[in-house]
Amino acid sequence: VLKNWLIGQIQDHVLDNRELTIKAKEFLKFRRVILPSPSRLGRFIANVIRNSHLELYHHITHLFPKEDFHKLEALINSPEDSLYTNLMTFKRPPPEPNATIINQFLSYFEILEDLKITECDLSGINLKVIENLAQLAKNQSSWNLRRIKPDEKRYAILICFLVESAKTILDTIIDMHSL
């Protein structure tokens, strides 16, 4: 019962381990269950969190075509003629609007369409979770992103970041056009 409740909390809310432990203790007390030792409860919660995250990464990566994972890898690897990765394109803030910039942002959106990012339907996943994973990609260097294991976690982070980037780019294009 506790495991199912914890999974529901993890899926519905973005909670850290400490917050989840406090809520789990309250849940057990409400159910009149004798609390296990703090270390045992902590290990149990950490295990449920880890398994839930692995399931989440698995779910997200299955929304993206498996044969295109190499395209995600290409985004975080530098082309031979550049110091920067292609992922940096989507991390930059929008400059002052003009016709050239609008066309540039349209080409960025086309890149995301070619990656089939716009076809990823993440509607079944909590928006806060998507935003947190996207923020991880935004705050990490490509070098750090390449080091993330398991691969499903790296791909899930990249997918969430690119889905959020597509929304931002589209909003930016619309805002620039209306100026």
Side-chain angles (χ1 to χ4, degrees), residues 136-154:
L136 278 173
K138 192 171 190 168
N139 293 336
Q140 296 295 320
S141 67
S142 293
W143 184 80
N144 285 332
L145 288 170
R146 284 191 300 269
R147 295 180 58 204
I148 292 175
K149 298 291 181 200
D151 291 345
E152 277 190 337
K153 180 178 182 179
R154 178 174 59 252

Side-chain angles (χ1 to χ4, degrees), residues 90 112 117 122 126-135 157-171:
F90 304 107
L112 294 175
I117 285 297
L122 301 180
N126 185 326
L127 184 58
K128 284 284 188 201
V129 172
I130 296 168
E131 289 171 350
N132 281 356
L133 290 174
Q135 196 63 37
I157 290 170
L158 288 170
I159 291 166
C160 288
F161 173 72
L162 293 171
V163 165
E164 288 298 303
S165 293
K167 292 179 197 175
T168 303
I169 288 170
L170 205 51
D171 289 345

Side-chain angles (χ1 to χ4, degrees), residues 2 5-6 9 15-30 35 38 41-42 45 49:
L2 178 60
W5 180 84
L6 284 169
Q9 290 296 306
L15 302 171
D16 65 11
N17 200 339
R18 189 177 61 77
E19 289 176 293
L20 203 52
T21 302
I22 291 168
K23 287 189 166 216
K25 285 180 181 179
E26 291 171 1
F27 174 78
L28 291 172
K29 285 178 185 176
F30 178 76
L35 293 176
L41 182 62
I45 291 172
I49 289 172

Side-chain angles (χ1 to χ4, degrees), residues 41-139:
L41 182 62
R43 280 191 307 270
F44 181 77
I45 291 172
N47 190 38
V48 171
I49 289 172
R50 186 177 58 78
N51 290 338
S52 292
H53 286 172
L54 290 174
E55 278 183 39
L56 175 68
Y57 304 144
H58 181 75
H59 177 68
I60 292 171
T61 55
H62 276 74
L63 296 173
F64 188 79
K66 197 172 212 143
E67 63 274 3
D68 290 338
F69 284 156
H70 71 279
K71 293 179 182 178
L72 294 177
E73 289 290 338
L75 283 176
I76 57 175
N77 289 306
S78 306
E80 289 182 21
D81 60 342
S82 175
L83 293 174
Y84 298 102
T85 64
N86 292 330
L87 191 67
M88 282 302 297
T89 303
F90 304 107
K91 290 184 174 186
R92 293 188 189 120
E96 289 297 314
N98 62 42
T100 307
I101 298 298
I102 292 174
N103 286 333
Q104 188 178 33
F105 271 69
L106 285 169
S107 71
Y108 295 162
F109 192 77
E110 287 175 4
I111 291 169
L112 294 175
E113 282 183 318
D114 291 343
L115 281 171
K116 299 180 182 144
I117 285 297
T118 54
E119 297 171 19
C120 282
D121 181 17
L122 301 180
S123 62
I125 300 167
N126 185 326
L127 184 58
K128 284 284 188 201
V129 172
I130 296 168
E131 289 171 350
N132 281 356
L133 290 174
Q135 196 63 37
L136 278 173
K138 192 171 190 168
N139 293 336

